[in-house]
Amino acid sequence: MTKDRQVAIPTARPAANEQRRLITPMRCLWASAVLTALTIVALPFDVSISAWMKQNHIRGELERIISLCEFFGFGWTVLFVAVTAAFIDRRGWRVMPRLVIGSLGVGLVADLGKIIIARWRPNADFAPQGFRETFISWLPWIWPEQLPDKWNRGFASFPSGHSATAVGLALALSTLYPKATLWFIFLAGMTMLQRVESRAHYPSDTFAGAALACFITAVLLHSNWLQSKFNKLEK
């Protein structure tokens, strides 16, 4: 008698569309909800954390590494990342619309939020006693008389555009290259840390920017029309 031979059946590799389910609309909505909660929780600690950062400024190579991580949320270097992806991905330039809309588009929405709420930046020439004093007014471009001076970047702390752009880029990259999802999220987190460490933003600003990015990404992923256009283009 011959023993039955077990034949191993190779498993098929998941298709690109299946891999993209690692980043889903529902997961992004949950992440947005958590980050919104963190925004609220961080508010009472914003001023003290910023003061601590000023007194305990990071030095040496770690400072340089954190500073360099700003590239993941800065407009021009984000565009460089998208162009690099277009060169190394077999789909070429067809991956760029997803990356540009998912990152720079999200960052633009965050920047529009700055004209709704005016808030002092931590590095501005202002010494608030509590987080409530950091907020100046609503709709500063409509009622500029409420501002202490002409509109400038010193009043544009909330939300963090860099954080929104970085998280949006991380999520957009993750839909294309799901194996590196944790790495992309790490880079986005480092960008958020850089904004706080450099005292360009309060922690709540970065959480709010990240929450906005997750919410917009959820909307973009939920749009069957837009996703069908992306998927058709990226074939």
Side-chain angles (χ1 to χ4, degrees):
M1 293 180 61
T2 58
K3 295 181 178 180
D4 293 337
R5 300 179 62 185
Q6 294 182 346
V7 179
I9 300 175
T11 57
R13 296 181 62 185
N17 287 338
E18 293 177 349
Q19 289 181 338
R20 286 176 185 166
R21 290 173 189 167
L22 290 171
I23 302 297
T24 65
M26 186 54 64
R27 288 177 179 176
C28 289
L29 280 177
W30 274 110
S32 180
V34 171
L35 287 163
T36 299
L38 288 174
T39 301
I40 298 172
V41 170
L43 279 171
F45 306 99
D46 276 345
V47 174
S48 58
I49 290 175
S50 179
W52 187 89
M53 284 289 183
K54 183 177 181 179
Q55 296 296 326
N56 301 273
H57 187 63
I58 299 173
R59 304 292 183 184
E61 288 300 312
L62 182 57
E63 177 191 11
R64 186 175 182 182
I65 291 172
I66 294 175
S67 178
L68 289 173
C69 286
E70 183 188 5
F71 86 94
F72 207 67
F74 181 66
W76 283 108
T77 47
V78 166
L79 186 60
F80 294 165
V81 171
V83 172
T84 301
F87 273 110
I88 64 178
D89 194 304
R90 62 176 178 79
R91 291 164 288 190
W93 67 269
R94 296 190 297 276
V95 303
M96 289 190 65
R98 183 187 294 272
L99 296 178
V100 171
I101 293 174
S103 58
L104 299 181
V106 170
L108 179 60
V109 174
D111 286 340
L112 291 176
K114 297 176 185 293
I115 68 174
I116 298 176
I117 301 176
R119 188 186 195 188
W120 290 100
R121 288 184 184 269
N123 56 12
D125 188 16
F126 178 69
Q129 299 301 312
F131 78 92
R132 291 182 179 85
E133 294 183 11
T134 65
F135 291 95
I136 306 170
S137 66
W138 293 89
L139 302 173
W141 283 23
I142 297 179
W143 298 301
E145 66 276 3
Q146 298 182 9
L147 297 174
D149 200 349
K150 290 184 179 180
W151 171 263
N152 58 72
R153 292 182 59 82
F155 306 141
S157 189
F158 188 90
S160 169
H162 278 69
S163 299
T165 301
V167 173
L169 177 61
L171 295 174
L173 285 168
S174 296
T175 61
L176 293 171
Y177 317 110
K179 283 187 176 181
T181 296
L182 292 179
W183 173 243
F184 298 141
I185 293 175
F186 170 77
L187 289 176
M190 289 294 289
T191 302
M192 294 169 64
L193 174 61
Q194 187 276 332
R195 303 312 289 161
V196 176
E197 194 278 333
S198 65
R199 301 182 68 245
H201 286 283
Y202 293 106
S204 63
D205 299 333
T206 64
F207 289 136
L212 180 63
C214 290
F215 179 78
I216 295 176
T217 300
V219 173
L220 293 176
L221 291 175
H222 188 69
S223 171
N224 292 327
W225 178 84
L226 184 60
Q227 290 308 307
S228 66
K229 296 296 183 183
F230 281 151
N231 294 335
K232 183 177 180 181
L233 182 66
E234 293 164 4
K235 285 184 178 178

